[in-house]
Amino acid sequence: MISTEAATGFARFFERRHTELARLAHLLTGGAETADDLAADALATVRRDWERARRAGPPTTYARRRVIALARGRARTATARRLGRLLRPDAPDRHGRSPHPGAAAHPGRPDACVVPDVREALARLPFRVRACVVLRHACGLSERQTARILRLPVGTVRRRTDKGTARLRRLLGAPAVDHLRSVPHPSARRQPPTRPS
């Protein structure tokens, strides 16, 4: 049972950090609805572990770690689905849609050549690289802060960030880091999660 004081502290934390965490999830997963769900799930865990999270350091670090862990799980599931589509390229997706809806509009034009926005380009990065790029450039964290959240050496964060940023520049044909800060926040807002009685 969470104390009244802890519940009040968590409610203030939720108000300050929900949008930021949803945006982090949005950039890691590419979907606004998924992002809001991930942020809500992460915040529910933070609420459950509020006292422990506060004792371990800034609760924001703990919350970001939870968002990244949940997004990584979603990324693995999405990778498994993509692999299944590669092995069975003509099979419809789980919603019954054709795997190549735009193929008729652009015959002979490979999908790999079309990258309409930063989110799609981010989705092409390996998840570990994507996490570094998003935390550094979209969230504006330092290398040291990113390393603490991801539990990595600073040098590893630097290498992954450089690699990811260079790939984004190649994919987008423009300085990708300039576009990352302008990716909008997911529009949906949630109320602080409460434990069922």
Side-chain angles (χ1 to χ4, degrees), residues 22-75:
R23 183 169 182 266
L24 171 61
H26 184 119
L27 289 167
L28 291 173
T29 64
E33 288 180 23
T34 302
D36 194 53
D37 289 345
L38 286 181
D41 290 349
L43 283 162
T45 304
V46 172
R47 184 184 190 283
R48 186 191 67 215
D49 301 335
W50 180 247
E51 292 300 332
R52 186 176 57 158
R54 284 184 50 228
R55 282 194 302 271
T60 307
T61 299
Y62 183 79
R64 287 174 177 148
R65 281 183 187 147
R66 291 302 312 143
V67 168
I68 290 165
L70 291 167
R72 184 182 300 125
R74 295 278 174 105

CSV table of all heavy atoms in Angstrom, one decimal, residues 22-75:
chain,number,residue,atom,x,y,z
A,22,ALA,N,6.3,9.6,-22.7
A,22,ALA,CA,5.5,9.2,-23.9
A,22,ALA,C,6.3,9.6,-25.1
A,22,ALA,O,6.3,8.8,-26.1
A,22,ALA,CB,4.2,9.8,-23.9
A,23,ARG,N,6.9,10.7,-25.2
A,23,ARG,CA,7.7,11.1,-26.3
A,23,ARG,C,8.9,10.2,-26.5
A,23,ARG,O,9.2,9.8,-27.7
A,23,ARG,CB,8.2,12.6,-26.2
A,23,ARG,CG,8.9,13.1,-27.4
A,23,ARG,CD,9.1,14.6,-27.3
A,23,ARG,NE,9.8,15.1,-28.4
A,23,ARG,CZ,11.1,15.3,-28.5
A,23,ARG,NH1,11.9,15.0,-27.5
A,23,ARG,NH2,11.7,15.7,-29.6
A,24,LEU,N,9.6,9.8,-25.4
A,24,LEU,CA,10.7,8.9,-25.5
A,24,LEU,C,10.2,7.5,-26.1
A,24,LEU,O,10.8,7.0,-27.1
A,24,LEU,CB,11.3,8.6,-24.1
A,24,LEU,CG,12.3,7.5,-24.0
A,24,LEU,CD1,13.5,7.8,-24.9
A,24,LEU,CD2,12.7,7.4,-22.5
A,25,ALA,N,9.1,7.0,-25.6
A,25,ALA,CA,8.5,5.8,-26.1
A,25,ALA,C,8.1,5.9,-27.6
A,25,ALA,O,8.3,5.0,-28.4
A,25,ALA,CB,7.3,5.4,-25.3
A,26,HIS,N,7.6,7.1,-27.9
A,26,HIS,CA,7.1,7.3,-29.3
A,26,HIS,C,8.3,7.3,-30.3
A,26,HIS,O,8.2,6.6,-31.3
A,26,HIS,CB,6.5,8.7,-29.3
A,26,HIS,CG,5.9,9.1,-30.7
A,26,HIS,ND1,4.6,9.4,-30.8
A,26,HIS,CD2,6.5,9.2,-31.9
A,26,HIS,CE1,4.4,9.7,-32.1
A,26,HIS,NE2,5.5,9.6,-32.8
A,27,LEU,N,9.4,7.9,-29.9
A,27,LEU,CA,10.6,7.8,-30.8
A,27,LEU,C,11.2,6.5,-30.8
A,27,LEU,O,11.8,6.1,-31.8
A,27,LEU,CB,11.6,8.9,-30.3
A,27,LEU,CG,11.2,10.3,-30.6
A,27,LEU,CD1,12.1,11.3,-29.8
A,27,LEU,CD2,11.2,10.6,-32.0
A,28,LEU,N,11.1,5.7,-29.7
A,28,LEU,CA,11.7,4.3,-29.7
A,28,LEU,C,10.9,3.3,-30.5
A,28,LEU,O,11.4,2.4,-31.1
A,28,LEU,CB,11.9,3.9,-28.3
A,28,LEU,CG,13.0,4.6,-27.5
A,28,LEU,CD1,13.0,4.2,-26.1
A,28,LEU,CD2,14.4,4.4,-28.2
A,29,THR,N,9.5,3.6,-30.5
A,29,THR,CA,8.6,2.6,-31.1
A,29,THR,C,8.0,3.0,-32.4
A,29,THR,O,7.6,2.2,-33.2
A,29,THR,CB,7.5,2.2,-30.1
A,29,THR,OG1,6.7,3.3,-29.9
A,29,THR,CG2,8.0,1.6,-28.9
A,30,GLY,N,7.9,4.4,-32.6
A,30,GLY,CA,7.3,4.9,-33.8
A,30,GLY,C,5.8,5.0,-33.8
A,30,GLY,O,5.2,5.5,-34.8
A,31,GLY,N,5.1,4.6,-32.7
A,31,GLY,CA,3.6,4.7,-32.7
A,31,GLY,C,3.1,5.5,-31.5
A,31,GLY,O,3.5,5.2,-30.4
A,32,ALA,N,2.2,6.5,-31.7
A,32,ALA,CA,1.7,7.3,-30.6
A,32,ALA,C,0.9,6.5,-29.6
A,32,ALA,O,1.0,6.7,-28.4
A,32,ALA,CB,0.9,8.5,-31.2
A,33,GLU,N,0.0,5.6,-30.1
A,33,GLU,CA,-0.8,4.8,-29.2
A,33,GLU,C,0.0,3.9,-28.4
A,33,GLU,O,-0.1,3.7,-27.2
A,33,GLU,CB,-1.9,4.0,-30.0
A,33,GLU,CG,-3.0,4.9,-30.6
A,33,GLU,CD,-4.0,4.1,-31.3
A,33,GLU,OE1,-4.1,2.9,-31.1
A,33,GLU,OE2,-4.7,4.7,-32.2
A,34,THR,N,1.0,3.2,-29.1
A,34,THR,CA,1.9,2.3,-28.4
A,34,THR,C,2.7,3.1,-27.4
A,34,THR,O,2.9,2.6,-26.2
A,34,THR,CB,2.8,1.6,-29.4
A,34,THR,OG1,2.1,0.9,-30.3
A,34,THR,CG2,3.8,0.7,-28.7
A,35,ALA,N,3.2,4.2,-27.8
A,35,ALA,CA,4.0,5.1,-26.9
A,35,ALA,C,3.3,5.4,-25.6
A,35,ALA,O,3.8,5.3,-24.5
A,35,ALA,CB,4.5,6.3,-27.6
A,36,ASP,N,2.0,5.8,-25.7
A,36,ASP,CA,1.2,6.2,-24.6
A,36,ASP,C,1.0,5.0,-23.7
A,36,ASP,O,1.1,5.1,-22.4
A,36,ASP,CB,-0.1,6.8,-25.0
A,36,ASP,CG,-0.8,7.5,-23.8
A,36,ASP,OD1,-0.1,8.4,-23.2
A,36,ASP,OD2,-1.9,7.2,-23.5
A,37,ASP,N,0.8,3.9,-24.2
A,37,ASP,CA,0.6,2.6,-23.4
A,37,ASP,C,1.9,2.3,-22.7
A,37,ASP,O,1.9,1.9,-21.5
A,37,ASP,CB,0.2,1.5,-24.3
A,37,ASP,CG,-1.2,1.6,-24.8
A,37,ASP,OD1,-2.0,2.4,-24.3
A,37,ASP,OD2,-1.6,0.8,-25.8
A,38,LEU,N,3.0,2.4,-23.4
A,38,LEU,CA,4.3,2.1,-22.8
A,38,LEU,C,4.6,3.1,-21.7
A,38,LEU,O,5.1,2.6,-20.6
A,38,LEU,CB,5.5,2.1,-23.8
A,38,LEU,CG,5.5,1.0,-24.8
A,38,LEU,CD1,6.7,1.2,-25.8
A,38,LEU,CD2,5.7,-0.3,-24.1
A,39,ALA,N,4.4,4.3,-21.9
A,39,ALA,CA,4.6,5.3,-20.8
A,39,ALA,C,3.7,5.0,-19.6
A,39,ALA,O,4.2,5.1,-18.5
A,39,ALA,CB,4.4,6.7,-21.4
A,40,ALA,N,2.5,4.7,-19.9
A,40,ALA,CA,1.5,4.4,-18.8
A,40,ALA,C,2.0,3.1,-18.0
A,40,ALA,O,2.0,3.1,-16.8
A,40,ALA,CB,0.1,4.2,-19.3
A,41,ASP,N,2.4,2.1,-18.7
A,41,ASP,CA,2.9,0.9,-18.1
A,41,ASP,C,4.2,1.2,-17.3
A,41,ASP,O,4.3,0.7,-16.1
A,41,ASP,CB,3.2,-0.2,-19.1
A,41,ASP,CG,2.0,-0.7,-19.8
A,41,ASP,OD1,0.9,-0.5,-19.3
A,41,ASP,OD2,2.1,-1.5,-20.8
A,42,ALA,N,5.1,2.0,-17.8
A,42,ALA,CA,6.3,2.3,-17.1
A,42,ALA,C,6.0,3.1,-15.8
A,42,ALA,O,6.5,2.9,-14.8
A,42,ALA,CB,7.2,3.1,-18.0
A,43,LEU,N,5.0,4.1,-16.0
A,43,LEU,CA,4.7,4.9,-14.8
A,43,LEU,C,3.9,4.1,-13.7
A,43,LEU,O,4.1,4.3,-12.6
A,43,LEU,CB,3.8,6.1,-15.2
A,43,LEU,CG,4.7,7.2,-15.9
A,43,LEU,CD1,3.8,8.1,-16.7
A,43,LEU,CD2,5.5,7.9,-14.8
A,44,ALA,N,3.2,3.1,-14.2
A,44,ALA,CA,2.5,2.2,-13.2
A,44,ALA,C,3.6,1.4,-12.4
A,44,ALA,O,3.4,1.2,-11.2
A,44,ALA,CB,1.6,1.2,-13.9
A,45,THR,N,4.6,1.0,-13.1
A,45,THR,CA,5.7,0.3,-12.3
A,45,THR,C,6.4,1.3,-11.4
A,45,THR,O,6.8,0.9,-10.3
A,45,THR,CB,6.8,-0.3,-13.4
A,45,THR,OG1,6.1,-1.1,-14.2
A,45,THR,CG2,7.9,-1.0,-12.7
A,46,VAL,N,6.7,2.5,-11.9
A,46,VAL,CA,7.3,3.5,-11.0
A,46,VAL,C,6.4,3.8,-9.8
A,46,VAL,O,6.9,3.9,-8.7
A,46,VAL,CB,7.5,4.8,-11.8
A,46,VAL,CG1,8.0,5.9,-10.9
A,46,VAL,CG2,8.5,4.6,-12.9
A,47,ARG,N,5.1,3.9,-10.0
A,47,ARG,CA,4.2,4.1,-8.8
A,47,ARG,C,4.3,2.9,-7.8
A,47,ARG,O,4.4,3.1,-6.6
A,47,ARG,CB,2.8,4.2,-9.3
A,47,ARG,CG,1.8,4.5,-8.1
A,47,ARG,CD,0.4,4.6,-8.6
A,47,ARG,NE,-0.5,5.1,-7.6
A,47,ARG,CZ,-0.9,4.4,-6.5
A,47,ARG,NH1,-0.5,3.2,-6.4
A,47,ARG,NH2,-1.8,4.9,-5.7
A,48,ARG,N,4.3,1.7,-8.3
A,48,ARG,CA,4.4,0.5,-7.5
A,48,ARG,C,5.7,0.5,-6.7
A,48,ARG,O,5.8,0.2,-5.5
A,48,ARG,CB,4.3,-0.7,-8.3
A,48,ARG,CG,4.3,-2.0,-7.5
A,48,ARG,CD,4.5,-3.2,-8.3
A,48,ARG,NE,5.8,-3.3,-8.9
A,48,ARG,CZ,6.2,-3.7,-10.1
A,48,ARG,NH1,5.3,-4.2,-10.9
A,48,ARG,NH2,7.4,-3.7,-10.5
A,49,ASP,N,6.8,1.0,-7.3
A,49,ASP,CA,8.2,0.9,-6.7
A,49,ASP,C,8.6,2.3,-6.3
A,49,ASP,O,9.8,2.6,-6.3
A,49,ASP,CB,9.2,0.3,-7.7
A,49,ASP,CG,8.8,-1.1,-8.1
A,49,ASP,OD1,8.1,-1.8,-7.4
A,49,ASP,OD2,9.2,-1.5,-9.2
A,50,TRP,N,7.7,3.2,-6.1
A,50,TRP,CA,8.0,4.6,-5.9
A,50,TRP,C,9.1,4.9,-4.8
A,50,TRP,O,10.1,5.6,-5.0
A,50,TRP,CB,6.8,5.4,-5.5
A,50,TRP,CG,7.0,6.9,-5.3
A,50,TRP,CD1,6.9,7.6,-4.1
A,50,TRP,CD2,7.4,7.8,-6.3
A,50,TRP,NE1,7.2,8.9,-4.3
A,50,TRP,CE2,7.5,9.1,-5.6
A,50,TRP,CE3,7.7,7.8,-7.6
A,50,TRP,CZ2,7.9,10.2,-6.3
A,50,TRP,CZ3,8.1,8.9,-8.3
A,50,TRP,CH2,8.2,10.1,-7.6
A,51,GLU,N,9.0,4.3,-3.6
A,51,GLU,CA,9.9,4.5,-2.6
A,51,GLU,C,11.3,4.0,-3.0
A,51,GLU,O,12.3,4.7,-2.8
A,51,GLU,CB,9.5,3.9,-1.2
A,51,GLU,CG,8.3,4.5,-0.6
A,51,GLU,CD,8.5,6.0,-0.3
A,51,GLU,OE1,9.6,6.4,0.0
A,51,GLU,OE2,7.5,6.7,-0.3
A,52,ARG,N,11.4,2.8,-3.5
A,52,ARG,CA,12.6,2.2,-4.0
A,52,ARG,C,13.3,3.1,-5.1
A,52,ARG,O,14.5,3.3,-5.1
A,52,ARG,CB,12.4,0.8,-4.4
A,52,ARG,CG,13.7,0.1,-4.7
A,52,ARG,CD,13.5,-1.3,-5.1
A,52,ARG,NE,12.6,-1.4,-6.2
A,52,ARG,CZ,12.5,-2.5,-7.0
A,52,ARG,NH1,13.2,-3.5,-6.8
A,52,ARG,NH2,11.6,-2.5,-8.0
A,53,ALA,N,12.4,3.5,-6.0
A,53,ALA,CA,12.9,4.3,-7.1
A,53,ALA,C,13.5,5.6,-6.6
A,53,ALA,O,14.6,6.1,-7.1
A,53,ALA,CB,11.8,4.6,-8.1
A,54,ARG,N,12.9,6.3,-5.6
A,54,ARG,CA,13.4,7.5,-5.1
A,54,ARG,C,14.7,7.3,-4.3
A,54,ARG,O,15.6,8.1,-4.4
A,54,ARG,CB,12.4,8.1,-4.1
A,54,ARG,CG,11.3,8.8,-4.9
A,54,ARG,CD,10.3,9.5,-4.0
A,54,ARG,NE,10.9,10.4,-3.1
A,54,ARG,CZ,10.6,10.5,-1.8
A,54,ARG,NH1,9.7,9.7,-1.3
A,54,ARG,NH2,11.2,11.3,-1.0
A,55,ARG,N,14.8,6.2,-3.6
A,55,ARG,CA,16.1,5.9,-2.8
A,55,ARG,C,17.2,5.6,-3.8
A,55,ARG,O,18.4,5.9,-3.5
A,55,ARG,CB,15.8,4.7,-1.9
A,55,ARG,CG,15.1,5.0,-0.6
A,55,ARG,CD,15.2,3.9,0.4
A,55,ARG,NE,14.7,2.6,-0.1
A,55,ARG,CZ,13.5,2.2,0.0
A,55,ARG,NH1,12.5,3.0,0.6
A,55,ARG,NH2,13.1,1.1,-0.5
A,56,ALA,N,16.9,5.0,-4.9
A,56,ALA,CA,18.0,4.6,-5.9
A,56,ALA,C,18.6,5.8,-6.7
A,56,ALA,O,19.6,5.7,-7.3
A,56,ALA,CB,17.5,3.5,-6.9
A,57,GLY,N,17.9,6.9,-6.6
A,57,GLY,CA,18.4,8.1,-7.4
A,57,GLY,C,17.2,8.8,-8.0
A,57,GLY,O,16.0,8.6,-7.5
A,58,PRO,N,17.4,9.6,-9.0
A,58,PRO,CA,16.2,10.4,-9.5
A,58,PRO,C,15.2,9.4,-10.1
A,58,PRO,O,15.6,8.5,-10.9
A,58,PRO,CB,16.9,11.2,-10.7
A,58,PRO,CG,18.3,11.2,-10.4
A,58,PRO,CD,18.6,10.0,-9.6
A,59,PRO,N,13.9,9.5,-9.7
A,59,PRO,CA,12.9,8.6,-10.3
A,59,PRO,C,12.8,8.7,-11.8
A,59,PRO,O,12.4,7.7,-12.5
A,59,PRO,CB,11.6,9.1,-9.7
A,59,PRO,CG,12.0,9.9,-8.5
A,59,PRO,CD,13.4,10.4,-8.7
A,60,THR,N,13.2,9.8,-12.4
A,60,THR,CA,13.2,10.0,-13.9
A,60,THR,C,14.1,8.9,-14.5
A,60,THR,O,13.7,8.4,-15.5
A,60,THR,CB,13.7,11.4,-14.3
A,60,THR,OG1,12.9,12.3,-13.6
A,60,THR,CG2,13.5,11.6,-15.8
A,61,THR,N,15.3,8.7,-13.9
A,61,THR,CA,16.2,7.7,-14.5
A,61,THR,C,15.5,6.3,-14.5
A,61,THR,O,15.6,5.6,-15.4
A,61,THR,CB,17.5,7.6,-13.7
A,61,THR,OG1,18.1,8.9,-13.7
A,61,THR,CG2,18.4,6.6,-14.2
A,62,TYR,N,14.9,6.0,-13.3
A,62,TYR,CA,14.2,4.7,-13.2
A,62,TYR,C,13.1,4.6,-14.2
A,62,TYR,O,12.9,3.6,-14.9
A,62,TYR,CB,13.7,4.5,-11.8
A,62,TYR,CG,13.0,3.2,-11.5
A,62,TYR,CD1,13.7,2.1,-11.2
A,62,TYR,CD2,11.6,3.1,-11.5
A,62,TYR,CE1,13.1,0.9,-11.0
A,62,TYR,CE2,11.0,1.9,-11.2
A,62,TYR,CZ,11.8,0.8,-11.0
A,62,TYR,OH,11.1,-0.4,-10.7
A,63,ALA,N,12.3,5.7,-14.4
A,63,ALA,CA,11.2,5.7,-15.3
A,63,ALA,C,11.7,5.5,-16.8
A,63,ALA,O,11.1,4.8,-17.6
A,63,ALA,CB,10.4,6.9,-15.2
A,64,ARG,N,12.7,6.2,-17.1
A,64,ARG,CA,13.3,6.1,-18.5
A,64,ARG,C,13.8,4.7,-18.8
A,64,ARG,O,13.6,4.1,-19.8
A,64,ARG,CB,14.4,7.1,-18.7
A,64,ARG,CG,14.0,8.5,-18.8
A,64,ARG,CD,15.2,9.5,-18.9
A,64,ARG,NE,14.7,10.8,-19.1
A,64,ARG,CZ,15.4,11.9,-18.6
A,64,ARG,NH1,16.5,11.7,-17.9
A,64,ARG,NH2,15.0,13.1,-18.8
A,65,ARG,N,14.4,4.1,-17.8
A,65,ARG,CA,14.8,2.7,-17.9
A,65,ARG,C,13.7,1.7,-18.2
A,65,ARG,O,13.7,0.8,-19.0
A,65,ARG,CB,15.6,2.2,-16.7
A,65,ARG,CG,17.0,2.7,-16.6
A,65,ARG,CD,17.7,2.1,-15.3
A,65,ARG,NE,19.0,2.7,-15.2
A,65,ARG,CZ,19.6,3.0,-14.1
A,65,ARG,NH1,19.0,2.7,-12.9
A,65,ARG,NH2,20.8,3.5,-14.0
A,66,ARG,N,12.6,2.0,-17.5
A,66,ARG,CA,11.4,1.1,-17.7
A,66,ARG,C,10.8,1.3,-19.1
A,66,ARG,O,10.4,0.4,-19.7
A,66,ARG,CB,10.3,1.5,-16.6
A,66,ARG,CG,10.6,1.1,-15.2
A,66,ARG,CD,10.9,-0.4,-15.0
A,66,ARG,NE,9.9,-1.2,-15.6
A,66,ARG,CZ,10.2,-2.4,-16.3
A,66,ARG,NH1,11.4,-2.9,-16.3
A,66,ARG,NH2,9.2,-3.1,-16.8
A,67,VAL,N,10.7,2.6,-19.6
A,67,VAL,CA,10.2,2.8,-20.9
A,67,VAL,C,11.1,2.1,-21.9
A,67,VAL,O,10.6,1.4,-22.9
A,67,VAL,CB,10.2,4.3,-21.2
A,67,VAL,CG1,9.9,4.6,-22.7
A,67,VAL,CG2,9.1,5.0,-20.4
A,68,ILE,N,12.4,2.2,-21.8
A,68,ILE,CA,13.4,1.6,-22.7
A,68,ILE,C,13.2,0.1,-22.7
A,68,ILE,O,13.2,-0.6,-23.7
A,68,ILE,CB,14.8,2.0,-22.4
A,68,ILE,CG1,15.0,3.5,-22.8
A,68,ILE,CG2,15.8,1.2,-23.1
A,68,ILE,CD1,16.2,4.2,-22.2
A,69,ALA,N,13.1,-0.5,-21.5
A,69,ALA,CA,12.9,-2.0,-21.4
A,69,ALA,C,11.6,-2.4,-22.1
A,69,ALA,O,11.6,-3.4,-22.8
A,69,ALA,CB,13.0,-2.4,-19.9
A,70,LEU,N,10.6,-1.7,-21.9
A,70,LEU,CA,9.3,-2.1,-22.5
A,70,LEU,C,9.4,-1.9,-24.0
A,70,LEU,O,8.9,-2.7,-24.8
A,70,LEU,CB,8.1,-1.2,-21.9
A,70,LEU,CG,7.8,-1.5,-20.4
A,70,LEU,CD1,6.9,-0.4,-19.9
A,70,LEU,CD2,7.1,-2.9,-20.3
A,71,ALA,N,10.0,-0.8,-24.4
A,71,ALA,CA,10.1,-0.6,-25.9
A,71,ALA,C,11.0,-1.6,-26.5
A,71,ALA,O,10.7,-2.1,-27.7
A,71,ALA,CB,10.7,0.8,-26.1
A,72,ARG,N,12.0,-2.1,-25.8
A,72,ARG,CA,12.9,-3.1,-26.3
A,72,ARG,C,12.1,-4.4,-26.5
A,72,ARG,O,12.2,-5.1,-27.6
A,72,ARG,CB,14.1,-3.4,-25.4
A,72,ARG,CG,15.1,-4.4,-25.9
A,72,ARG,CD,16.2,-4.7,-25.0
A,72,ARG,NE,16.9,-3.5,-24.7
A,72,ARG,CZ,17.2,-3.0,-23.5
A,72,ARG,NH1,16.7,-3.6,-22.4
A,72,ARG,NH2,17.8,-1.9,-23.3
A,73,GLY,N,11.2,-4.7,-25.6
A,73,GLY,CA,10.4,-5.9,-25.8
A,73,GLY,C,9.5,-5.8,-27.0
A,73,GLY,O,9.3,-6.7,-27.7
A,74,ARG,N,8.9,-4.6,-27.2
A,74,ARG,CA,8.1,-4.4,-28.4
A,74,ARG,C,8.9,-4.5,-29.6
A,74,ARG,O,8.4,-5.0,-30.6
A,74,ARG,CB,7.4,-3.0,-28.3
A,74,ARG,CG,6.4,-2.8,-27.2
A,74,ARG,CD,5.0,-3.4,-27.6
A,74,ARG,NE,4.1,-3.3,-26.5
A,74,ARG,CZ,3.1,-2.4,-26.4
A,74,ARG,NH1,2.9,-1.6,-27.4
A,74,ARG,NH2,2.4,-2.4,-25.4
A,75,ALA,N,10.1,-4.0,-29.6
A,75,ALA,CA,11.0,-4.0,-30.8
A,75,ALA,C,11.3,-5.5,-31.1
A,75,ALA,O,11.3,-5.9,-32.3
A,75,ALA,CB,12.3,-3.2,-30.5
